[in-house]
Amino acid sequence: MKKLWGGRFTKSAEEWVDEFGASISFDQELVLEDIEGSIAHVAMLSKTGILSVEDGEKIKAGLLTLKKQAENDELTFSVKLEDIHLNLESQLTDLIGPVGGKLHTGRSRNDQVATDMHLYLRRQVKLIVELLNELQVVLLEKAESHIETVMPGYTHLQRAQPISFAHHLMAYFWMFERDKQRYQENLKRINVSPLGAGALAGTTFPIDRAYSADLLTFDSIYENSMDAVSDRDFILEFLSTSSILMMHLSRFSEEIILWSSQEFKFIDLDDSFSTGSSIMPQKKNPDMAELIRGKTGRVYGNLMGLLTVLKGLPLSYNKDMQEDKEGMFDTVKTVVGSLRIFAGMIQTMKVNEQGMEQATKNDFSNATELADYLSDKGMPFREAHEVVGKLVLYCVNKNCYLQDLSMKELKEASNLFEDDIYHVLNPRTAVERRNSAGGTGFKQIEQAIEKAKLCVLEKEEVK
């Protein structure tokens, strides 16, 4: 099979060299985007008179036939033709004759592949925003049903203060909201057209880049042709944003793994998101959460890989940049899959409300309430902190908790204690009283949920 660029060469590469240099094994993922960009390009060539209307219509009809075949998975690709662009151009020429060779007028594979990736990432980022939005809806629904579910809050993985389970869930809602905003910002850089930049210097043909950009619903065009064909910032930004999202999902996964353990028993994951053991029949493993935690590393690797590829490249296009695609495709697959799994996992998990609340009664997470109580009575907080610290030590030695102490024992520590202290020491009271803005108090959570509902996009807004 003759290469479309082979006129300059007198010797063919060995087969294994062709295979090493070819990208068709992975860039066939861009088949629909490549056809979409080509349809816009030929429409522009016809409009500007670079191609006759008759040739333009013939090429467009051929491209639409290829599109239908691609959608039906009927196209075959050859390593000999290197990439998706040459494969499609060859098949177009086979379909409609030599006029198919006119499609490449006024463009290069350099601006063609950049256009394909912009179109691909635009579609995928919109899907990711939609999936993030769906996960936020699931979190809101779960939070609304657990506003008054009390659980231990942790610092250093040690019980710190009692909180609402809804408050804990909503912390992730706001992380995902920032992730969603980052992707939406990324879309601004993605939605720029490189088409018509040529190999690096533009073209002598009287093309209309604004027209082809408009056909592809890009917001604008690259202002510099060299930048257009060598820019991969928009992919780096996508990989960076995806790494931050996967970090959030990984942290949440870690908590789900802990909460579902026998040591915590805070939640029970649905069987559809768990697996068993081949040797231990009692096991129910949180494998989906563990996989998401593990897959975070491959997304980080994709970001570092592309940063390393690009760091020493002179302008403009270099073959090294062929390495920009596999990590991008892999990240899209990983992020989309993780978000779909996570939404289902959260939606179907059962919450052990009694177990969570009981855990707050068997620790010293109400110690801060005691210190705040004394401070409210006029004792300097540092002095109150020391008084309560000594009471905690006393309880540890006596093998009891603060709420178990008698009034006599409390009075020995400070005369400021009154009978109302037992109400204050109740974990539920401790949560309810934390009514500062953004706090875990029940009223604050209700307000936070209402505010959060304004951040959830309707599907038409996502699009």
Side-chain angles (χ1 to χ4, degrees):
M1 190 177 292
K2 186 179 178 183
K3 294 182 185 293
L4 297 186
W5 48 262
R8 154 73 173 86
F9 291 79
T10 60
K11 186 177 179 181
S12 297
E14 293 186 39
E15 187 174 340
W16 71 268
V17 175
D18 278 339
E19 290 178 359
F20 183 79
S23 61
I24 189 59
S25 62
F26 51 85
D27 71 8
Q28 60 186 275
E29 180 81 21
L30 298 170
V31 60
L32 291 177
E33 284 78 14
D34 200 73
I35 294 170
E36 182 183 358
S38 292
I39 290 172
H41 183 64
V42 76
M44 180 275 295
L45 293 177
S46 294
K47 173 184 177 291
T48 54
I50 297 170
L51 286 187
S52 68
V53 173
E54 182 183 358
D55 284 350
E57 287 300 319
K58 194 170 184 180
I59 293 171
K60 180 181 177 181
L63 288 169
L64 289 173
T65 298
L66 291 179
K67 180 181 179 183
K68 187 174 181 180
Q69 291 175 342
E71 290 170 341
N72 294 330
D73 201 24
E74 294 171 356
L75 294 179
T76 56
F77 304 105
S78 169
V79 169
K80 288 287 184 182
L81 289 170
E82 301 179 33
D83 56 35
I84 189 61
H85 323 299
L86 296 186
N87 268 271
L88 284 174
E89 186 173 334
S90 176
Q91 294 189 46
L92 178 67
T93 303
D94 289 344
L95 190 65
I96 66 173
V99 69
K102 294 184 177 182
L103 172 62
H104 208 55
T105 307
R107 74 173 179 184
S108 159
R109 283 186 295 173
N110 294 356
D111 64 330
Q112 188 176 355
V113 69
T115 302
D116 291 357
M117 289 190 292
H118 278 270
L119 291 170
Y120 171 84
L121 261 193
R122 182 174 68 184
R123 177 166 56 89
Q124 298 298 339
V125 167
K126 286 181 178 181
L127 172 61
I128 289 169
V129 169
E130 186 175 328
L131 292 173
L132 265 170
N133 205 66
E134 290 173 6
L135 176 54
Q136 287 180 298
V137 170
V138 169
L139 283 171
L140 277 174
E141 291 171 350
K142 191 66 76 172
E144 265 195 306
S145 61
H146 289 286
I147 292 173
E148 297 196 18
T149 299
V150 176
M151 69 175 292
Y154 295 83
T155 62
H156 309 277
L157 205 54
Q158 304 292 318
R159 292 182 190 175
Q161 291 177 284
I163 60 169
S164 160
F165 182 51
H167 193 56
H168 199 130
L169 293 177
M170 289 302 293
Y172 285 104
F173 176 96
W174 294 111
M175 291 182 210
F176 296 140
E177 178 61 21
R178 293 192 295 275
D179 291 327
K180 195 166 71 177
Q181 290 169 0
R182 274 184 280 269
Y183 279 116
Q184 289 168 324
E185 282 293 316
N186 188 192
L187 275 171
K188 295 178 183 178
R189 263 73 70 187
I190 292 171
N191 210 29
V192 182
S193 175
L195 189 57
L200 77 159
T203 177
T204 58
F205 291 98
I207 62 173
D208 187 341
R209 291 186 62 202
Y211 180 71
S212 56
D214 188 55
L215 289 177
L216 294 169
T217 64
F218 283 121
D219 292 332
S220 59
I221 64 171
Y222 276 88
E223 297 297 336
N224 182 286
S225 60
M226 296 180 75
D227 183 33
V229 298
S230 63
D231 171 37
R232 295 299 183 267
D233 298 4
F234 68 102
I235 302 177
L236 286 173
E237 187 176 358
F238 166 73
L239 295 174
S240 175
T241 296
S242 296
S243 294
I244 296 171
L245 167 61
M246 289 302 295
M247 176 269 293
H248 289 152
L249 290 175
S250 184
R251 293 182 73 180
F252 206 168
S253 293
E254 173 70 8
E255 298 202 290
I256 285 171
I257 293 162
L258 288 171
W259 293 343
S260 62
S261 69
Q262 288 297 303
E263 285 70 26
F264 279 76
K265 295 183 182 178
F266 284 176
I267 63 168
D268 183 24
L269 291 177
D270 191 81
D271 287 355
S272 57
F273 297 99
S274 307
T275 63
S277 164
S278 62
I279 191 172
M280 295 169 284
Q282 83 281 9
K283 294 294 292 297
K284 182 178 178 181
N285 301 323
D287 276 13
M288 295 304 103
E290 291 174 2
L291 270 174
I292 291 169
R293 184 177 61 181
K295 286 178 181 292
T296 299
R298 69 191 293 151
V299 174
Y300 291 178
N302 292 335
L303 171 60
M304 291 307 301
L306 185 55
L307 281 169
T308 306
V309 165
L310 294 172
K311 75 174 184 66
L313 295 186
L315 293 179
S316 57
Y317 184 82
N318 297 270
K319 186 69 168 177
D320 315 48
M321 294 167 73
Q322 184 171 291
E323 293 297 308
D324 58 2
K325 297 172 196 65
E326 289 179 278
M328 176 181 71
F329 295 148
D330 181 71
T331 297
V332 166
K333 181 180 178 182
T334 301
V335 169
V336 167
S338 297
L339 287 171
R340 284 177 170 153
I341 288 285
F342 225 96
M345 192 163 55
I346 297 299
Q347 190 171 44
T348 58
M349 75 179 185
K350 295 177 182 175
V351 179
N352 181 1
E353 299 176 16
Q354 291 74 27
M356 282 185 174
E357 186 158 357
Q358 186 59 41
T360 65
K361 297 176 180 177
N362 297 327
D363 60 24
F364 295 99
S365 61
N366 53 4
T368 304
E369 308 310 309
L370 217 58
D372 286 348
Y373 177 91
L374 292 173
S375 184
D376 285 343
K377 298 276 187 176
M379 182 183 290
F381 183 80
R382 284 298 162 212
E383 185 180 334
H385 188 285
E386 184 176 357
V387 169
V388 175
K390 289 178 179 178
L391 278 174
V392 169
L393 180 60
Y394 175 78
C395 289
V396 169
N397 292 330
K398 193 180 175 184
N399 195 27
C400 68
Y401 299 103
L402 292 170
Q403 59 268 29
D404 300 327
L405 296 176
S406 66
M407 182 52 65
K408 180 182 177 184
E409 289 171 310
L410 290 168
K411 285 284 191 184
E412 286 175 359
S414 172
N415 283 323
L416 294 176
F417 287 118
E418 302 292 343
D419 288 340
D420 61 346
I421 189 58
Y422 294 107
H423 175 69
V424 171
L425 286 172
N426 185 300
R428 184 167 292 274
T429 305
V431 174
E432 192 170 16
R433 291 175 69 234
R434 294 224 166 323
N435 210 28
S436 57
T440 191
F442 302 142
K443 290 181 180 178
Q444 278 298 319
I445 296 170
E446 289 172 0
Q447 292 175 23
I449 287 174
E450 290 307 308
K451 187 178 291 185
K453 287 177 180 177
L454 300 176
C455 299
V456 177
L457 305 174
E458 298 294 336
K459 270 206 171 183
E460 52 267 26
E461 292 180 86
V462 174
K463 297 296 183 186

